[in-house]
Amino acid sequence: MESRRPRREPRLLGLHTPTRIPLIPPVTAARWLLVLIVAAGIYFFHGFLVPVLAALVIAFASWPIYRRLLDGVEGNRTIAATLAIVLILTFLVVPIFLAGSYAVNEIREWFSWAVETNRHGAPTPAWIVALPVAGDWLDQQWARHIGHPGAIGELIQIVSGANIGNIYRGVLAAGGASFHLLLTLLFMLIALFFIYRDGEGVARQVDRLGERILPTRWERISGVVPATISSTVTGMTLIAIGEGVVLGTAYWIAGVPSPVTLGVLTGLMALVPGGAPLSFTLVSVYLVASGSPVAGISLFTWGSVELFIVDKTLRPKLVGGPIKLPFLPTFFGLVGGVKTMGFLGLFIGPVLMALIVAIWREWLREIEMTDEAMSAAPVEAPPDLRTDPAASERRTGSD
């Protein structure tokens, strides 16, 4: 009797037993999977990107203070993170909101004056008419573009394509959007709290991943990045706040109208190279032209002395850290950051430019070290056939 053997059906995809050779190496697959997960997370949560980036920037800048708080509470991270949030609210967020509220009220007064002037017209101010040389010409330009009813609306419509009523309503609507701003601030503070509390553990995980991806460069990059972010953000923030407070106080002493708004604008302009000198120079020119030459000259002198002290003593020590940014990368970082991310871009843009400059200098440093090593290596001279018989025999055999 014949034994029946099971008949094997042909398989379309080959053998039933799978091979053990992967199509994609596991490390490559893991890296691409990580990139895809990060990209998907950015896509789905890009609305929270700005407050999270703001929290990261503040955490990097204030980490030394947080370490002192952590030592003071004997390593309790929850209490230290809570104290750090309270300090940030007390010394950073609350003063900024107070100054912003005063500035918004003064800006509303400006817009109210613009609306009334646009409705009824306004004569040329006496101090403009009294200006030497240019007074008559400025008087004619004022009467043509501002003085008659509807002139400001026409001018704004020519420049921006919108009328003054729409702009005024837009400003009022922006005041009503404060609730959204408060929600963003709340989310930023929550993210900042968890960064303080769990930041070191996350940093260790990022270090392990970075050493696998960039084993030869990660140690240096991981040291340059936090120092650059901390020094750049801290230096720019402290200098901007200091410039705004000092020059705003000087505006108030000199009798300039709306000193709070002008102080806030000067602080924002101080983030841009050359912005603070332009601000107090324009205010000084206004004081001189409006009949207060002593106040204008005194303000310009004080601003120049204060700016010289800041630029020669504080700015080199505070801004840049291990990376001293030249003017052009700083300017591009500020403009590109503001265009892309708004106010937060004032800090993110220069930080990204600092990182780009750091990577560029690191590459140049490696190239220089490689060139020096190659130039220092001894060059072997060709063997002398007269003194080396073995070389002579090899030469003869090859012939």
Side-chain angles (χ1 to χ4, degrees), residues 8-366:
R8 295 183 179 179
E9 297 291 337
R11 294 186 175 273
L12 298 178
L13 300 179
L15 298 176
H16 177 73
T17 304
T19 60
R20 296 183 178 273
I21 301 176
L23 296 177
I24 302 175
V27 176
T28 304
R31 290 176 180 176
W32 280 108
L33 182 61
L34 178 63
V35 170
L36 290 176
I37 292 174
V38 172
I42 293 175
Y43 175 77
F44 284 105
F45 301 105
H46 66 277
F48 302 101
L49 184 62
V50 171
V52 170
L53 284 178
L56 287 173
V57 167
I58 295 174
F60 274 117
S62 59
W63 197 259
I65 300 176
Y66 171 72
R67 292 297 306 173
R68 295 182 181 178
L69 288 175
L70 190 61
D71 295 336
V73 296
E74 299 180 353
N76 193 320
R77 298 183 183 278
T78 303
I79 297 178
T82 304
L83 292 177
I85 296 297
V86 171
L87 289 177
I88 289 174
L89 284 172
T90 304
F91 295 103
L92 185 62
V93 177
V94 173
I96 289 177
F97 262 93
L98 290 177
S101 63
Y102 278 107
V104 166
N105 291 331
E106 292 178 353
I107 291 174
R108 284 180 178 176
E109 293 179 0
W110 293 359
F111 272 96
S112 299
W113 173 86
V115 170
E116 291 298 322
T117 302
N118 183 70
R119 183 177 302 166
H120 304 291
T124 308
W127 64 271
I128 294 181
V129 179
L131 288 175
V133 181
D136 294 336
W137 181 81
L138 291 176
D139 184 19
Q140 296 174 4
Q141 298 302 318
W142 182 283
R144 179 183 303 174
H145 299 292
I146 299 177
H148 64 275
I152 296 181
E154 295 173 0
L155 182 63
I156 293 177
Q157 191 168 8
I158 292 173
V159 174
S160 63
N163 56 56
I164 190 171
N166 292 337
I167 295 177
Y168 184 67
R169 285 190 292 270
V171 172
L172 295 179
S178 58
F179 180 71
H180 176 70
L181 180 62
L182 288 176
L183 286 180
T184 303
L185 178 62
L186 178 62
F187 186 82
M188 183 199 74
L189 293 175
I190 293 173
L192 183 60
F193 173 82
F194 286 99
I195 290 173
Y196 279 139
R197 197 187 69 173
D198 306 323
E200 291 188 352
V202 176
R204 285 193 294 268
Q205 297 175 12
V206 172
D207 282 337
R208 293 182 61 185
L209 183 62
E211 289 173 357
R212 293 294 300 273
I213 298 175
L214 300 172
T216 59
R217 293 185 176 91
W218 180 255
E219 183 177 359
R220 179 171 175 80
I221 292 177
S222 62
V224 169
V225 170
T228 301
I229 295 177
S230 177
S231 57
T232 301
V233 174
T234 303
M236 291 178 61
T237 304
L238 291 178
I239 290 175
I241 293 175
E243 294 276 0
V245 171
V246 172
L247 291 176
T249 305
Y251 297 158
W252 175 70
I253 295 174
V256 179
S258 303
V260 177
T261 302
L262 293 177
V264 173
L265 292 177
T266 302
L268 294 177
M269 291 292 291
L271 297 171
V272 182
L278 178 63
S279 299
F280 70 74
T281 300
L282 292 177
V283 176
S284 301
V285 170
Y286 163 77
L287 287 173
V288 173
S290 61
S292 303
V294 176
I297 295 174
S298 300
L299 176 62
F300 182 78
T301 304
W302 165 247
S304 301
V305 172
E306 183 263 344
L307 186 67
F308 177 81
I309 294 174
V310 169
D311 286 343
K312 296 300 180 182
T313 58
L314 296 179
R315 191 181 296 272
K317 295 181 179 179
L318 293 177
V319 179
I323 305 297
K324 302 298 181 182
L325 275 181
F327 171 79
L328 195 59
T330 303
F331 181 75
F332 283 165
L334 289 169
V335 175
V338 171
K339 184 178 179 182
T340 305
M341 305 186 66
F343 178 76
L344 184 61
L346 288 173
F347 304 97
I348 300 296
V351 167
L352 292 179
M353 291 303 298
L355 297 181
I356 292 173
V357 171
I359 294 173
W360 176 260
R361 291 176 179 174
E362 179 69 16
W363 284 348
L364 293 180
R365 177 173 169 272
E366 290 184 0

